[in-house]
Amino acid sequence: MKLNNLKPAAGSTHSRRRIGRGPGSGLGGTSTRGHKGAKARSGYKRKIGFEGGQMPLQRRIPKAGFKNINHKEYYAVNLSTLQELAEKKNLTKIGIAELVAAGLTNGKELVKILGKGELKAKVDVEANAFSKTAEEAIKAVGGNTTII
């Protein structure tokens, strides 16, 4: 036996069916596509979600809600976080740069200071927005709030 003598085992290979080559082949006429309908046409491609003509699910279900184009997404920082930051790094002024240095924000996000926790250190805070409770708590300790 040599490599040039090798052949597949008898009956293990089949020639592919050549459809649409006339009536003599037995696979002419409709060429295995049945009669009429979208699937019988050339270039047919089923739409995503097509349910055989029934109203598709994504069109049966009503639309809901809306997206407010003026909505602003803020990154929240609590007073307790500011207190920790002021204690660790001995800060009297906390702005976006200090928050970025501490790894709390990336500098691209809008920052809002919220009133959760307790602030004991006198700190001047710069941020994009403040909650009323946070602003009152900062001023009660003797600090200032600045909206950027």
Side-chain angles (χ1 to χ4, degrees), residues 66-140:
F66 77 105
K67 198 154 186 103
N68 186 353
I69 59 167
N70 297 319
H71 175 73
K72 287 182 181 172
E73 195 72 42
Y74 288 100
Y75 178 76
V77 177
N78 286 307
L79 289 177
S80 56
T81 311
L82 294 182
Q83 178 64 34
E84 285 175 26
L85 199 62
E87 285 174 2
K88 277 184 188 173
K89 301 193 177 180
N90 259 355
L91 297 173
T92 55
K93 182 176 177 276
I94 297 175
I96 302 294
E98 288 76 20
L99 295 173
V100 170
L104 292 170
T105 178
N106 61 14
K108 295 173 190 166
E109 301 167 318
L110 298 174
V111 175
K112 184 170 185 174
I113 308 298
L114 302 179
K116 187 177 181 185
E118 200 176 338
L119 187 67
K120 296 170 188 166
K122 180 184 172 186
V123 196
D124 296 336
V125 185
E126 283 185 359
N128 302 100
F130 294 88
S131 69
K132 285 181 184 177
T133 53
E135 201 166 353
E136 289 167 5
I138 292 167
K139 287 183 179 174

